[in-house]
Amino acid sequence: MPQETFFRDEARRKLLRMGNQALGKTWAGLRLDIAHCRGVHPYYTVHRPPVQGVILCSTWKQSLNAQTKLWELLPREEVTPRTLERYHPGRGWGEDPVIEWCNGSLLYIRTSLQGGLALAGPTLHFAHLDELPISARIYSEMS
């Protein structure tokens, strides 16, 4: 199964290429995001929390799809009450989506359409590019 191979791969940079929709690329990436935020990965060592990461989607609509999937996977007991309260089906975590973990980790959700400035700032321990960025500037902010 390609998702499991991706999840077990210890490489710093990974690429999971599969056909469009319903094959599990986003699910595989979200599973890895959660492992990083928790500081626990079953196959290799990840940074100790707190960490900061980002999920980059191409559009807001695509980000809502990723947020819905993340909500389904999210270990409720490991995120802050504020994170749980802010989620709304169909609207995700609102205009500035960030998932706050009880261990201090932060997971931002951004879109390529927001531009490079929206992505500048925090030092990221990991980045999940759900789709390829629309510009080199955005990719450089993720590196």
Side-chain angles (χ1 to χ4, degrees), residues 88-143:
H88 183 277
R91 290 196 309 254
W93 279 278
E95 289 181 22
D96 188 26
V98 60
I99 290 61
E100 302 167 341
W101 296 74
C102 296
N103 65 15
S105 293
L106 298 172
L107 179 58
Y108 302 95
I109 301 170
R110 300 290 184 257
T111 72
S112 289
L113 296 176
Q114 289 176 287
L117 283 177
L119 303 169
T123 300
L124 299 173
H125 294 89
F126 67 94
H128 167 183
L129 309 180
D130 203 48
E131 296 291 337
L132 293 177
I134 59 174
S135 75
R137 163 90 193 270
I138 291 172
Y139 184 78
S140 70
E141 291 294 346
M142 302 289 101
S143 302

Short mmCIF file of all heavy atoms in Angstrom, two decimals, residues 88-143:
data_model
loop_
_atom_site.label_atom_id
_atom_site.label_comp_id
_atom_site.label_asym_id
_atom_site.label_seq_id
_atom_site.Cartn_x
_atom_site.Cartn_y
_atom_site.Cartn_z
N HIS A 88 -15.93 23.92 12.95
CA HIS A 88 -17.32 23.89 12.51
C HIS A 88 -17.39 23.09 11.21
O HIS A 88 -16.68 23.43 10.25
CB HIS A 88 -17.84 25.30 12.27
CG HIS A 88 -19.27 25.33 11.88
ND1 HIS A 88 -19.70 25.13 10.59
CD2 HIS A 88 -20.39 25.54 12.62
CE1 HIS A 88 -21.02 25.21 10.54
NE2 HIS A 88 -21.46 25.45 11.76
N PRO A 89 -18.24 22.05 11.14
CA PRO A 89 -18.37 21.30 9.89
C PRO A 89 -18.75 22.24 8.75
O PRO A 89 -19.62 23.07 8.88
CB PRO A 89 -19.50 20.31 10.19
CG PRO A 89 -19.53 20.20 11.67
CD PRO A 89 -19.10 21.55 12.20
N GLY A 90 -18.04 22.12 7.65
CA GLY A 90 -18.31 22.96 6.49
C GLY A 90 -17.50 24.26 6.47
O GLY A 90 -17.30 24.84 5.42
N ARG A 91 -17.03 24.71 7.64
CA ARG A 91 -16.22 25.94 7.71
C ARG A 91 -14.85 25.69 8.30
O ARG A 91 -14.03 26.60 8.38
CB ARG A 91 -16.94 27.01 8.53
CG ARG A 91 -18.16 27.59 7.85
CD ARG A 91 -18.60 28.88 8.48
NE ARG A 91 -18.75 28.82 9.92
CZ ARG A 91 -19.90 28.78 10.58
NH1 ARG A 91 -21.03 28.81 9.92
NH2 ARG A 91 -19.93 28.73 11.88
N GLY A 92 -14.60 24.48 8.77
CA GLY A 92 -13.30 24.15 9.35
C GLY A 92 -13.01 24.99 10.58
O GLY A 92 -13.89 25.25 11.39
N TRP A 93 -11.76 25.43 10.69
CA TRP A 93 -11.33 26.22 11.84
C TRP A 93 -11.38 27.71 11.57
O TRP A 93 -10.73 28.50 12.25
CB TRP A 93 -9.92 25.80 12.29
CG TRP A 93 -9.96 24.57 13.15
CD1 TRP A 93 -10.22 24.52 14.49
CD2 TRP A 93 -9.75 23.22 12.75
NE1 TRP A 93 -10.18 23.22 14.93
CE2 TRP A 93 -9.90 22.40 13.88
CE3 TRP A 93 -9.45 22.62 11.52
CZ2 TRP A 93 -9.75 21.03 13.83
CZ3 TRP A 93 -9.30 21.25 11.48
CH2 TRP A 93 -9.45 20.46 12.63
N GLY A 94 -12.12 28.14 10.58
CA GLY A 94 -12.31 29.56 10.34
C GLY A 94 -11.24 30.19 9.48
O GLY A 94 -10.48 29.52 8.79
N GLU A 95 -11.18 31.53 9.54
CA GLU A 95 -10.33 32.31 8.64
C GLU A 95 -8.83 32.09 8.83
O GLU A 95 -8.07 32.22 7.90
CB GLU A 95 -10.63 33.80 8.80
CG GLU A 95 -11.97 34.20 8.25
CD GLU A 95 -12.22 35.69 8.42
OE1 GLU A 95 -11.25 36.46 8.56
OE2 GLU A 95 -13.39 36.08 8.38
N ASP A 96 -8.41 31.81 10.04
CA ASP A 96 -6.99 31.62 10.32
C ASP A 96 -6.81 30.27 11.01
O ASP A 96 -6.56 30.21 12.21
CB ASP A 96 -6.47 32.76 11.20
CG ASP A 96 -4.96 32.72 11.37
OD1 ASP A 96 -4.27 32.18 10.49
OD2 ASP A 96 -4.49 33.22 12.40
N PRO A 97 -6.96 29.19 10.25
CA PRO A 97 -6.97 27.88 10.89
C PRO A 97 -5.63 27.47 11.47
O PRO A 97 -4.61 27.47 10.78
CB PRO A 97 -7.40 26.93 9.77
CG PRO A 97 -7.22 27.67 8.50
CD PRO A 97 -7.18 29.12 8.82
N VAL A 98 -5.67 27.17 12.75
CA VAL A 98 -4.49 26.64 13.44
C VAL A 98 -4.98 25.63 14.48
O VAL A 98 -5.96 25.88 15.18
CB VAL A 98 -3.63 27.74 14.09
CG1 VAL A 98 -4.41 28.54 15.10
CG2 VAL A 98 -2.38 27.17 14.71
N ILE A 99 -4.32 24.49 14.51
CA ILE A 99 -4.66 23.45 15.47
C ILE A 99 -3.62 23.54 16.58
O ILE A 99 -2.42 23.43 16.34
CB ILE A 99 -4.65 22.05 14.80
CG1 ILE A 99 -5.81 21.86 13.81
CG2 ILE A 99 -4.79 20.97 15.86
CD1 ILE A 99 -5.89 22.74 12.68
N GLU A 100 -4.12 23.79 17.78
CA GLU A 100 -3.25 23.92 18.95
C GLU A 100 -3.28 22.61 19.73
O GLU A 100 -4.35 22.13 20.10
CB GLU A 100 -3.74 25.07 19.84
CG GLU A 100 -3.80 26.40 19.12
CD GLU A 100 -4.59 27.45 19.90
OE1 GLU A 100 -5.39 27.09 20.80
OE2 GLU A 100 -4.42 28.63 19.59
N TRP A 101 -2.10 22.08 19.99
CA TRP A 101 -1.98 20.82 20.72
C TRP A 101 -1.69 21.11 22.18
O TRP A 101 -1.05 22.11 22.52
CB TRP A 101 -0.87 19.98 20.10
CG TRP A 101 -1.20 19.58 18.69
CD1 TRP A 101 -1.19 20.38 17.58
CD2 TRP A 101 -1.65 18.31 18.25
NE1 TRP A 101 -1.59 19.68 16.48
CE2 TRP A 101 -1.87 18.40 16.86
CE3 TRP A 101 -1.86 17.09 18.89
CZ2 TRP A 101 -2.31 17.31 16.11
CZ3 TRP A 101 -2.29 16.02 18.13
CH2 TRP A 101 -2.52 16.13 16.76
N CYS A 102 -2.11 20.23 23.06
CA CYS A 102 -1.86 20.39 24.50
C CYS A 102 -0.37 20.42 24.81
O CYS A 102 0.05 21.02 25.80
CB CYS A 102 -2.55 19.27 25.28
SG CYS A 102 -4.35 19.29 25.17
N ASN A 103 0.46 19.80 23.97
CA ASN A 103 1.91 19.78 24.19
C ASN A 103 2.60 21.04 23.66
O ASN A 103 3.82 21.13 23.68
CB ASN A 103 2.53 18.52 23.58
CG ASN A 103 2.41 18.48 22.07
OD1 ASN A 103 2.13 19.46 21.40
ND2 ASN A 103 2.63 17.30 21.51
N GLY A 104 1.82 21.99 23.14
CA GLY A 104 2.37 23.24 22.63
C GLY A 104 2.60 23.28 21.13
O GLY A 104 2.92 24.33 20.57
N SER A 105 2.46 22.16 20.44
CA SER A 105 2.64 22.14 18.99
C SER A 105 1.54 22.94 18.31
O SER A 105 0.42 23.04 18.83
CB SER A 105 2.63 20.70 18.47
OG SER A 105 3.76 19.99 18.92
N LEU A 106 1.87 23.49 17.15
CA LEU A 106 0.91 24.25 16.34
C LEU A 106 0.94 23.72 14.92
O LEU A 106 2.02 23.52 14.35
CB LEU A 106 1.26 25.74 16.34
CG LEU A 106 1.24 26.45 17.68
CD1 LEU A 106 1.79 27.87 17.55
CD2 LEU A 106 -0.18 26.48 18.24
N LEU A 107 -0.24 23.52 14.34
CA LEU A 107 -0.36 23.08 12.96
C LEU A 107 -1.21 24.11 12.22
O LEU A 107 -2.40 24.24 12.47
CB LEU A 107 -1.01 21.69 12.89
CG LEU A 107 -1.24 21.10 11.50
CD1 LEU A 107 0.08 21.00 10.72
CD2 LEU A 107 -1.90 19.73 11.62
N TYR A 108 -0.58 24.85 11.31
CA TYR A 108 -1.25 25.89 10.54
C TYR A 108 -1.80 25.29 9.25
O TYR A 108 -1.20 24.37 8.69
CB TYR A 108 -0.28 27.01 10.18
CG TYR A 108 0.36 27.67 11.37
CD1 TYR A 108 1.61 27.27 11.82
CD2 TYR A 108 -0.28 28.69 12.06
CE1 TYR A 108 2.21 27.86 12.92
CE2 TYR A 108 0.31 29.29 13.16
CZ TYR A 108 1.56 28.87 13.58
OH TYR A 108 2.15 29.46 14.67
N ILE A 109 -2.90 25.83 8.77
CA ILE A 109 -3.44 25.43 7.47
C ILE A 109 -3.50 26.69 6.61
O ILE A 109 -4.13 27.67 6.99
CB ILE A 109 -4.83 24.78 7.60
CG1 ILE A 109 -4.72 23.56 8.52
CG2 ILE A 109 -5.37 24.40 6.22
CD1 ILE A 109 -6.05 22.97 8.93
N ARG A 110 -2.81 26.65 5.47
CA ARG A 110 -2.71 27.81 4.59
C ARG A 110 -2.99 27.38 3.15
O ARG A 110 -3.00 26.20 2.84
CB ARG A 110 -1.31 28.43 4.68
CG ARG A 110 -0.92 28.91 6.06
CD ARG A 110 -1.75 30.14 6.45
NE ARG A 110 -1.32 30.67 7.74
CZ ARG A 110 -1.97 30.49 8.87
NH1 ARG A 110 -3.09 29.78 8.90
NH2 ARG A 110 -1.54 31.03 10.00
N THR A 111 -3.18 28.39 2.29
CA THR A 111 -3.37 28.11 0.87
C THR A 111 -2.31 28.86 0.06
O THR A 111 -1.82 29.91 0.48
CB THR A 111 -4.76 28.54 0.36
OG1 THR A 111 -4.82 29.96 0.30
CG2 THR A 111 -5.88 27.99 1.23
N SER A 112 -1.99 28.31 -1.10
CA SER A 112 -1.04 28.97 -2.01
C SER A 112 -1.55 30.34 -2.42
O SER A 112 -0.78 31.26 -2.63
CB SER A 112 -0.83 28.12 -3.26
OG SER A 112 -0.10 26.97 -2.97
N LEU A 113 -2.87 30.47 -2.52
CA LEU A 113 -3.46 31.74 -2.97
C LEU A 113 -3.26 32.86 -1.96
O LEU A 113 -3.39 34.03 -2.31
CB LEU A 113 -4.96 31.56 -3.26
CG LEU A 113 -5.28 30.60 -4.41
CD1 LEU A 113 -6.79 30.43 -4.55
CD2 LEU A 113 -4.67 31.08 -5.71
N GLN A 114 -2.92 32.53 -0.72
CA GLN A 114 -2.65 33.56 0.28
C GLN A 114 -1.32 34.26 0.02
O GLN A 114 -1.08 35.34 0.55
CB GLN A 114 -2.65 32.96 1.69
CG GLN A 114 -4.02 32.56 2.16
CD GLN A 114 -3.96 31.89 3.52
OE1 GLN A 114 -3.52 30.74 3.63
NE2 GLN A 114 -4.38 32.59 4.55
N GLY A 115 -0.45 33.64 -0.75
CA GLY A 115 0.84 34.24 -1.08
C GLY A 115 1.91 33.97 -0.06
O GLY A 115 1.66 33.46 1.03
N GLY A 116 3.14 34.35 -0.43
CA GLY A 116 4.30 34.08 0.40
C GLY A 116 4.28 34.75 1.75
O GLY A 116 4.75 34.19 2.73
N LEU A 117 3.73 35.97 1.84
CA LEU A 117 3.72 36.68 3.12
C LEU A 117 2.92 35.94 4.18
O LEU A 117 3.27 35.95 5.35
CB LEU A 117 3.19 38.10 2.96
CG LEU A 117 4.18 39.10 2.36
CD1 LEU A 117 3.51 40.46 2.18
CD2 LEU A 117 5.42 39.22 3.21
N ALA A 118 1.83 35.30 3.77
CA ALA A 118 0.99 34.57 4.73
C ALA A 118 1.73 33.35 5.29
O ALA A 118 1.38 32.84 6.34
CB ALA A 118 -0.31 34.14 4.07
N LEU A 119 2.75 32.92 4.56
CA LEU A 119 3.48 31.72 4.97
C LEU A 119 4.78 32.05 5.69
O LEU A 119 5.39 31.20 6.30
CB LEU A 119 3.78 30.88 3.73
CG LEU A 119 2.53 30.47 2.95
CD1 LEU A 119 2.92 29.89 1.61
CD2 LEU A 119 1.69 29.51 3.74
N ALA A 120 5.19 33.30 5.61
CA ALA A 120 6.44 33.71 6.27
C ALA A 120 6.19 33.82 7.76
O ALA A 120 5.08 34.04 8.22
CB ALA A 120 6.89 35.05 5.71
N GLY A 121 7.23 33.67 8.52
CA GLY A 121 7.09 33.86 9.96
C GLY A 121 7.65 32.73 10.77
O GLY A 121 8.85 32.66 10.99
N PRO A 122 6.78 31.82 11.21
CA PRO A 122 7.26 30.81 12.15
C PRO A 122 8.30 29.88 11.54
O PRO A 122 8.28 29.61 10.34
CB PRO A 122 5.99 30.04 12.52
CG PRO A 122 5.05 30.26 11.41
CD PRO A 122 5.38 31.62 10.85
N THR A 123 9.20 29.41 12.38
CA THR A 123 10.14 28.38 11.95
C THR A 123 9.38 27.06 11.93
O THR A 123 8.81 26.65 12.93
CB THR A 123 11.31 28.28 12.94
OG1 THR A 123 11.98 29.54 12.96
CG2 THR A 123 12.28 27.19 12.54
N LEU A 124 9.35 26.45 10.77
CA LEU A 124 8.58 25.22 10.61
C LEU A 124 9.47 24.00 10.78
O LEU A 124 10.57 23.94 10.24
CB LEU A 124 7.93 25.18 9.22
CG LEU A 124 6.94 26.31 8.92
CD1 LEU A 124 6.51 26.24 7.47
CD2 LEU A 124 5.74 26.22 9.85
N HIS A 125 8.96 23.02 11.51
CA HIS A 125 9.63 21.74 11.64
C HIS A 125 9.25 20.81 10.50
O HIS A 125 10.00 19.90 10.17
CB HIS A 125 9.28 21.09 12.98
CG HIS A 125 9.81 21.85 14.15
ND1 HIS A 125 9.08 22.86 14.75
CD2 HIS A 125 10.98 21.77 14.80
CE1 HIS A 125 9.79 23.35 15.75
NE2 HIS A 125 10.95 22.72 15.80
N PHE A 126 8.07 21.03 9.93
CA PHE A 126 7.61 20.22 8.81
C PHE A 126 6.58 20.98 8.00
O PHE A 126 5.94 21.90 8.50
CB PHE A 126 7.04 18.87 9.28
CG PHE A 126 5.77 18.99 10.07
CD1 PHE A 126 4.54 18.89 9.45
CD2 PHE A 126 5.80 19.20 11.45
CE1 PHE A 126 3.36 19.01 10.18
CE2 PHE A 126 4.64 19.31 12.18
CZ PHE A 126 3.42 19.22 11.54
N ALA A 127 6.45 20.59 6.73
CA ALA A 127 5.45 21.18 5.84
C ALA A 127 4.83 20.06 5.02
O ALA A 127 5.52 19.19 4.51
CB ALA A 127 6.09 22.22 4.92
N HIS A 128 3.54 20.10 4.93
CA HIS A 128 2.77 19.12 4.14
C HIS A 128 2.19 19.90 2.96
O HIS A 128 1.27 20.69 3.13
CB HIS A 128 1.67 18.54 5.03
CG HIS A 128 0.62 17.76 4.31
ND1 HIS A 128 -0.44 17.23 4.98
CD2 HIS A 128 0.44 17.41 3.01
CE1 HIS A 128 -1.23 16.61 4.12
NE2 HIS A 128 -0.71 16.71 2.93
N LEU A 129 2.75 19.70 1.79
CA LEU A 129 2.25 20.36 0.59
C LEU A 129 1.23 19.44 -0.04
O LEU A 129 1.58 18.49 -0.74
CB LEU A 129 3.40 20.66 -0.38
CG LEU A 129 4.61 21.38 0.22
CD1 LEU A 129 5.67 21.62 -0.84
CD2 LEU A 129 4.20 22.67 0.89
N ASP A 130 -0.04 19.72 0.21
CA ASP A 130 -1.10 18.84 -0.30
C ASP A 130 -1.19 18.92 -1.82
O ASP A 130 -1.58 17.97 -2.47
CB ASP A 130 -2.44 19.19 0.35
CG ASP A 130 -3.41 18.02 0.31
OD1 ASP A 130 -3.00 16.90 0.68
OD2 ASP A 130 -4.56 18.23 -0.10
N GLU A 131 -0.84 20.04 -2.37
CA GLU A 131 -0.70 20.24 -3.81
C GLU A 131 0.57 21.05 -4.02
O GLU A 131 1.01 21.77 -3.12
CB GLU A 131 -1.90 21.01 -4.39
CG GLU A 131 -3.22 20.28 -4.29
CD GLU A 131 -3.32 19.07 -5.19
OE1 GLU A 131 -2.58 19.01 -6.21
OE2 GLU A 131 -4.12 18.17 -4.90
N LEU A 132 1.15 20.98 -5.19
CA LEU A 132 2.36 21.75 -5.45
C LEU A 132 2.06 23.24 -5.36
O LEU A 132 1.02 23.70 -5.83
CB LEU A 132 2.92 21.40 -6.83
CG LEU A 132 3.45 19.97 -6.95
CD1 LEU A 132 3.91 19.70 -8.38
CD2 LEU A 132 4.56 19.70 -5.97
N PRO A 133 2.98 24.01 -4.77
CA PRO A 133 2.77 25.46 -4.65
C PRO A 133 2.74 26.12 -6.02
O PRO A 133 3.32 25.62 -6.98
CB PRO A 133 3.99 25.94 -3.87
CG PRO A 133 4.69 24.75 -3.38
CD PRO A 133 4.20 23.56 -4.13
N ILE A 134 2.06 27.28 -6.09
CA ILE A 134 1.90 27.97 -7.36
C ILE A 134 3.10 28.84 -7.71
O ILE A 134 3.17 29.34 -8.83
CB ILE A 134 0.61 28.81 -7.39
CG1 ILE A 134 0.63 29.85 -6.27
CG2 ILE A 134 -0.61 27.92 -7.31
CD1 ILE A 134 -0.54 30.82 -6.30
N SER A 135 4.03 29.03 -6.78
CA SER A 135 5.20 29.85 -7.10
C SER A 135 6.41 29.36 -6.31
O SER A 135 6.30 28.72 -5.27
CB SER A 135 4.93 31.31 -6.77
OG SER A 135 4.97 31.52 -5.37
N ALA A 136 7.59 29.75 -6.82
CA ALA A 136 8.84 29.42 -6.15
C ALA A 136 8.93 30.09 -4.80
O ALA A 136 9.48 29.53 -3.84
CB ALA A 136 10.01 29.80 -7.03
N ARG A 137 8.37 31.29 -4.66
CA ARG A 137 8.41 32.02 -3.38
C ARG A 137 7.70 31.21 -2.30
O ARG A 137 8.17 31.09 -1.17
CB ARG A 137 7.75 33.39 -3.54
CG ARG A 137 7.36 34.07 -2.24
CD ARG A 137 8.46 34.94 -1.67
NE ARG A 137 8.25 35.35 -0.31
CZ ARG A 137 7.63 36.45 0.06
NH1 ARG A 137 7.12 37.26 -0.81
NH2 ARG A 137 7.53 36.75 1.34
N ILE A 138 6.56 30.67 -2.64
CA ILE A 138 5.80 29.88 -1.65
C ILE A 138 6.60 28.62 -1.28
O ILE A 138 6.71 28.28 -0.11
CB ILE A 138 4.41 29.53 -2.20
CG1 ILE A 138 3.58 30.82 -2.27
CG2 ILE A 138 3.73 28.48 -1.35
CD1 ILE A 138 2.27 30.68 -2.96
N TYR A 139 7.19 27.99 -2.27
CA TYR A 139 7.99 26.80 -1.97
C TYR A 139 9.16 27.16 -1.08
O TYR A 139 9.48 26.44 -0.14
CB TYR A 139 8.47 26.14 -3.26
CG TYR A 139 9.21 24.86 -3.01
CD1 TYR A 139 8.52 23.69 -2.73
CD2 TYR A 139 10.60 24.81 -3.02
CE1 TYR A 139 9.18 22.51 -2.45
CE2 TYR A 139 11.28 23.64 -2.74
CZ TYR A 139 10.55 22.49 -2.47
OH TYR A 139 11.22 21.33 -2.18
N SER A 140 9.79 28.29 -1.33
CA SER A 140 10.95 28.68 -0.51
C SER A 140 10.55 28.97 0.93
O SER A 140 11.34 28.73 1.85
CB SER A 140 11.67 29.88 -1.12
OG SER A 140 10.91 31.05 -1.00
N GLU A 141 9.35 29.46 1.16
CA GLU A 141 8.88 29.70 2.54
C GLU A 141 8.68 28.38 3.28
O GLU A 141 8.74 28.35 4.51
CB GLU A 141 7.57 30.49 2.54
CG GLU A 141 7.70 31.92 2.06
CD GLU A 141 8.52 32.81 2.98
OE1 GLU A 141 8.80 32.44 4.12
OE2 GLU A 141 8.91 33.89 2.51
N MET A 142 8.45 27.31 2.55
CA MET A 142 8.21 26.00 3.16
C MET A 142 9.51 25.24 3.41
O MET A 142 9.53 24.28 4.15
CB MET A 142 7.35 25.12 2.25
CG MET A 142 6.01 25.68 1.89
SD MET A 142 4.89 25.67 3.28
CE MET A 142 4.98 27.36 3.78
N SER A 143 10.59 25.65 2.77
CA SER A 143 11.85 24.90 2.85
C SER A 143 12.57 25.14 4.15
O SER A 143 12.56 26.16 4.72
CB SER A 143 12.76 25.27 1.71
OG SER A 143 12.12 25.01 0.48
#
